[in-house]
Amino acid sequence: QNLVMESMLASGVALGGKLGLFEALAAVGSPEKPATPREVADKAGCKERLVFYRCFLSNEKKLMTFLDT
């Protein structure tokens, strides 16, 4: 079960890289002003829903902090 979850996480990270989500996050967010999923989606040219769930999964695995405001 752990192996399956880790494989899904690795696939998600790879997908995020291909979609440019990490570059978009770096461009629109900072520690002082965290980016919203909408800002990242707009910058990357993706749907907000995809970015929201991508951020949620990353938050669950402690790869990034997700603030629900």
Side-chain angles (χ1 to χ4, degrees), residues 22-47:
F22 302 113
E23 291 84 1
L25 177 61
V28 298
S30 70
E32 296 79 31
K33 186 194 173 292
T36 65
R38 177 172 294 185
E39 292 170 326
V40 176
D42 288 347
K43 182 71 176 176
C46 295
K47 293 186 178 187

Side-chain angles (χ1 to χ4, degrees), residues 30-37 52 55-56 59 64-69:
S30 70
E32 296 79 31
K33 186 194 173 292
T36 65
F52 176 84
C55 291
F56 183 77
N59 182 61
M64 67 176 69
T65 302
F66 181 69
L67 304 173
D68 188 18
T69 56

Side-chain angles (χ1 to χ4, degrees), residues 2-41:
N2 230 6
L3 180 59
V4 171
M5 291 302 293
E6 296 304 321
S7 296
M8 289 175 60
L9 178 62
S11 297
V13 170
L15 179 61
K18 287 209 175 264
L19 293 174
L21 297 181
F22 302 113
E23 291 84 1
L25 177 61
V28 298
S30 70
E32 296 79 31
K33 186 194 173 292
T36 65
R38 177 172 294 185
E39 292 170 326
V40 176

